[in-house]
Amino acid sequence: MNTEHEQLSRSLEDLKVKVAESQKAILSLEVAVANRGAATEEAVDAYTRLLSNLGLFPPLPPPFQNIDLQVELNTAASQPEHLFKGPDVRRVIKPTLNAIVESKRSERAAVESERIKVDHELDQLISECENLEDEINETEKKVMVLNEQADDLREVRPFPAKLNTVPPLK
């Protein structure tokens, strides 16, 4: 009977040690869950700020006007499926965001194409202006040469006096 009592005492001590280890593990896991919950709340807040900054709060532009991209975190949920309140992240939010990204990319490509077209037209106009400026400079040079030739001709043949005088005003 002593041996049975000793075995039971050892078993009881082993169980007490295992209970203490389990309590430490539970405490450690509770801390980890709390930390992950806080990090998840920060991520949801950052996501909400991004939605706000990008103007993706309802109503969204067509064809997404019936979709609400907002999510709320429910840290008290006992099942992982119920952690988020709102539309399904995998089936609704992610495909919608991907579609919005694609539409914005195509809009950006169209704007970039238009910018390139306008830049090309601007370059052509600048080139035409430079050509006109060159033509104006050439014409000014020709006018200066003609003025000098006219001055030289005036010096050689003076005009009659009648042409140089201005008629009196009445």
Side-chain angles (χ1 to χ4, degrees), residues 87-100:
D88 187 349
V89 174
R90 288 186 181 138
R91 293 188 186 110
V92 176
I93 292 177
K94 189 172 180 180
T96 301
L97 289 176
N98 286 336
I100 290 171

PDB file of all heavy atoms in Angstrom, residues 87-100:
ATOM      1  N   PRO A  87     -17.946  42.560 -45.484  1.00  0.00           N
ATOM      2  CA  PRO A  87     -17.901  41.608 -46.600  1.00  0.00           C
ATOM      3  C   PRO A  87     -16.706  40.665 -46.489  1.00  0.00           C
ATOM      4  O   PRO A  87     -15.729  40.962 -45.805  1.00  0.00           O
ATOM      5  CB  PRO A  87     -17.787  42.500 -47.835  1.00  0.00           C
ATOM      6  CG  PRO A  87     -17.314  43.815 -47.337  1.00  0.00           C
ATOM      7  CD  PRO A  87     -17.735  43.930 -45.912  1.00  0.00           C
ATOM      8  N   ASP A  88     -16.821  39.535 -47.154  1.00  0.00           N
ATOM      9  CA  ASP A  88     -15.765  38.532 -47.146  1.00  0.00           C
ATOM     10  C   ASP A  88     -14.523  39.102 -47.830  1.00  0.00           C
ATOM     11  O   ASP A  88     -14.581  39.592 -48.961  1.00  0.00           O
ATOM     12  CB  ASP A  88     -16.237  37.279 -47.883  1.00  0.00           C
ATOM     13  CG  ASP A  88     -15.254  36.117 -47.779  1.00  0.00           C
ATOM     14  OD1 ASP A  88     -14.116  36.335 -47.311  1.00  0.00           O
ATOM     15  OD2 ASP A  88     -15.621  35.000 -48.169  1.00  0.00           O
ATOM     16  N   VAL A  89     -13.402  39.029 -47.121  1.00  0.00           N
ATOM     17  CA  VAL A  89     -12.157  39.614 -47.622  1.00  0.00           C
ATOM     18  C   VAL A  89     -11.707  38.912 -48.902  1.00  0.00           C
ATOM     19  O   VAL A  89     -11.329  39.573 -49.871  1.00  0.00           O
ATOM     20  CB  VAL A  89     -11.052  39.551 -46.543  1.00  0.00           C
ATOM     21  CG1 VAL A  89      -9.721  40.007 -47.101  1.00  0.00           C
ATOM     22  CG2 VAL A  89     -11.443  40.387 -45.338  1.00  0.00           C
ATOM     23  N   ARG A  90     -11.768  37.607 -48.931  1.00  0.00           N
ATOM     24  CA  ARG A  90     -11.266  36.857 -50.090  1.00  0.00           C
ATOM     25  C   ARG A  90     -12.212  36.901 -51.281  1.00  0.00           C
ATOM     26  O   ARG A  90     -11.768  36.905 -52.422  1.00  0.00           O
ATOM     27  CB  ARG A  90     -11.013  35.400 -49.699  1.00  0.00           C
ATOM     28  CG  ARG A  90      -9.813  35.242 -48.820  1.00  0.00           C
ATOM     29  CD  ARG A  90      -9.495  33.788 -48.567  1.00  0.00           C
ATOM     30  NE  ARG A  90      -8.348  33.680 -47.691  1.00  0.00           N
ATOM     31  CZ  ARG A  90      -8.251  32.822 -46.702  1.00  0.00           C
ATOM     32  NH1 ARG A  90      -9.225  31.983 -46.454  1.00  0.00           N
ATOM     33  NH2 ARG A  90      -7.170  32.795 -45.952  1.00  0.00           N
ATOM     34  N   ARG A  91     -13.508  36.906 -51.022  1.00  0.00           N
ATOM     35  CA  ARG A  91     -14.471  36.802 -52.121  1.00  0.00           C
ATOM     36  C   ARG A  91     -14.994  38.148 -52.607  1.00  0.00           C
ATOM     37  O   ARG A  91     -15.449  38.239 -53.739  1.00  0.00           O
ATOM     38  CB  ARG A  91     -15.647  35.933 -51.690  1.00  0.00           C
ATOM     39  CG  ARG A  91     -15.251  34.498 -51.475  1.00  0.00           C
ATOM     40  CD  ARG A  91     -16.454  33.604 -51.243  1.00  0.00           C
ATOM     41  NE  ARG A  91     -16.018  32.273 -50.900  1.00  0.00           N
ATOM     42  CZ  ARG A  91     -16.152  31.735 -49.712  1.00  0.00           C
ATOM     43  NH1 ARG A  91     -16.734  32.403 -48.742  1.00  0.00           N
ATOM     44  NH2 ARG A  91     -15.720  30.522 -49.473  1.00  0.00           N
ATOM     45  N   VAL A  92     -14.957  39.171 -51.756  1.00  0.00           N
ATOM     46  CA  VAL A  92     -15.544  40.459 -52.143  1.00  0.00           C
ATOM     47  C   VAL A  92     -14.489  41.560 -52.175  1.00  0.00           C
ATOM     48  O   VAL A  92     -14.297  42.222 -53.202  1.00  0.00           O
ATOM     49  CB  VAL A  92     -16.702  40.848 -51.185  1.00  0.00           C
ATOM     50  CG1 VAL A  92     -17.245  42.220 -51.533  1.00  0.00           C
ATOM     51  CG2 VAL A  92     -17.798  39.801 -51.224  1.00  0.00           C
ATOM     52  N   ILE A  93     -13.812  41.782 -51.052  1.00  0.00           N
ATOM     53  CA  ILE A  93     -12.927  42.936 -50.927  1.00  0.00           C
ATOM     54  C   ILE A  93     -11.729  42.834 -51.863  1.00  0.00           C
ATOM     55  O   ILE A  93     -11.447  43.764 -52.626  1.00  0.00           O
ATOM     56  CB  ILE A  93     -12.483  43.129 -49.464  1.00  0.00           C
ATOM     57  CG1 ILE A  93     -13.687  43.541 -48.622  1.00  0.00           C
ATOM     58  CG2 ILE A  93     -11.375  44.162 -49.368  1.00  0.00           C
ATOM     59  CD1 ILE A  93     -13.404  43.686 -47.152  1.00  0.00           C
ATOM     60  N   LYS A  94     -11.016  41.719 -51.817  1.00  0.00           N
ATOM     61  CA  LYS A  94      -9.806  41.591 -52.637  1.00  0.00           C
ATOM     62  C   LYS A  94     -10.117  41.670 -54.142  1.00  0.00           C
ATOM     63  O   LYS A  94      -9.451  42.427 -54.858  1.00  0.00           O
ATOM     64  CB  LYS A  94      -9.073  40.298 -52.289  1.00  0.00           C
ATOM     65  CG  LYS A  94      -7.714  40.209 -52.930  1.00  0.00           C
ATOM     66  CD  LYS A  94      -6.934  39.026 -52.425  1.00  0.00           C
ATOM     67  CE  LYS A  94      -5.571  38.996 -53.102  1.00  0.00           C
ATOM     68  NZ  LYS A  94      -4.777  37.875 -52.652  1.00  0.00           N
ATOM     69  N   PRO A  95     -11.123  40.937 -54.655  1.00  0.00           N
ATOM     70  CA  PRO A  95     -11.428  41.077 -56.089  1.00  0.00           C
ATOM     71  C   PRO A  95     -11.872  42.490 -56.462  1.00  0.00           C
ATOM     72  O   PRO A  95     -11.516  42.991 -57.536  1.00  0.00           O
ATOM     73  CB  PRO A  95     -12.560  40.068 -56.329  1.00  0.00           C
ATOM     74  CG  PRO A  95     -12.446  39.081 -55.227  1.00  0.00           C
ATOM     75  CD  PRO A  95     -11.891  39.829 -54.061  1.00  0.00           C
ATOM     76  N   THR A  96     -12.629  43.137 -55.576  1.00  0.00           N
ATOM     77  CA  THR A  96     -13.071  44.505 -55.865  1.00  0.00           C
ATOM     78  C   THR A  96     -11.883  45.451 -55.920  1.00  0.00           C
ATOM     79  O   THR A  96     -11.771  46.282 -56.840  1.00  0.00           O
ATOM     80  CB  THR A  96     -14.083  44.976 -54.798  1.00  0.00           C
ATOM     81  OG1 THR A  96     -15.194  44.081 -54.790  1.00  0.00           O
ATOM     82  CG2 THR A  96     -14.557  46.375 -55.080  1.00  0.00           C
ATOM     83  N   LEU A  97     -10.981  45.349 -54.947  1.00  0.00           N
ATOM     84  CA  LEU A  97      -9.793  46.205 -54.952  1.00  0.00           C
ATOM     85  C   LEU A  97      -8.932  45.940 -56.187  1.00  0.00           C
ATOM     86  O   LEU A  97      -8.395  46.880 -56.789  1.00  0.00           O
ATOM     87  CB  LEU A  97      -8.991  46.013 -53.666  1.00  0.00           C
ATOM     88  CG  LEU A  97      -9.625  46.574 -52.395  1.00  0.00           C
ATOM     89  CD1 LEU A  97      -8.788  46.228 -51.177  1.00  0.00           C
ATOM     90  CD2 LEU A  97      -9.826  48.072 -52.492  1.00  0.00           C
ATOM     91  N   ASN A  98      -8.802  44.679 -56.577  1.00  0.00           N
ATOM     92  CA  ASN A  98      -8.037  44.353 -57.789  1.00  0.00           C
ATOM     93  C   ASN A  98      -8.688  44.963 -59.028  1.00  0.00           C
ATOM     94  O   ASN A  98      -7.991  45.485 -59.907  1.00  0.00           O
ATOM     95  CB  ASN A  98      -7.888  42.842 -57.951  1.00  0.00           C
ATOM     96  CG  ASN A  98      -6.891  42.250 -56.985  1.00  0.00           C
ATOM     97  OD1 ASN A  98      -5.993  42.934 -56.501  1.00  0.00           O
ATOM     98  ND2 ASN A  98      -7.052  40.970 -56.686  1.00  0.00           N
ATOM     99  N   ALA A  99     -10.013  44.916 -59.106  1.00  0.00           N
ATOM    100  CA  ALA A  99     -10.714  45.508 -60.242  1.00  0.00           C
ATOM    101  C   ALA A  99     -10.537  47.024 -60.256  1.00  0.00           C
ATOM    102  O   ALA A  99     -10.343  47.630 -61.319  1.00  0.00           O
ATOM    103  CB  ALA A  99     -12.193  45.138 -60.196  1.00  0.00           C
ATOM    104  N   ILE A 100     -10.590  47.648 -59.082  1.00  0.00           N
ATOM    105  CA  ILE A 100     -10.387  49.100 -58.991  1.00  0.00           C
ATOM    106  C   ILE A 100      -8.970  49.455 -59.428  1.00  0.00           C
ATOM    107  O   ILE A 100      -8.754  50.422 -60.165  1.00  0.00           O
ATOM    108  CB  ILE A 100     -10.690  49.606 -57.566  1.00  0.00           C
ATOM    109  CG1 ILE A 100     -12.185  49.524 -57.291  1.00  0.00           C
ATOM    110  CG2 ILE A 100     -10.193  51.026 -57.373  1.00  0.00           C
ATOM    111  CD1 ILE A 100     -12.582  49.794 -55.849  1.00  0.00           C
TER     112      ILE A 100
END
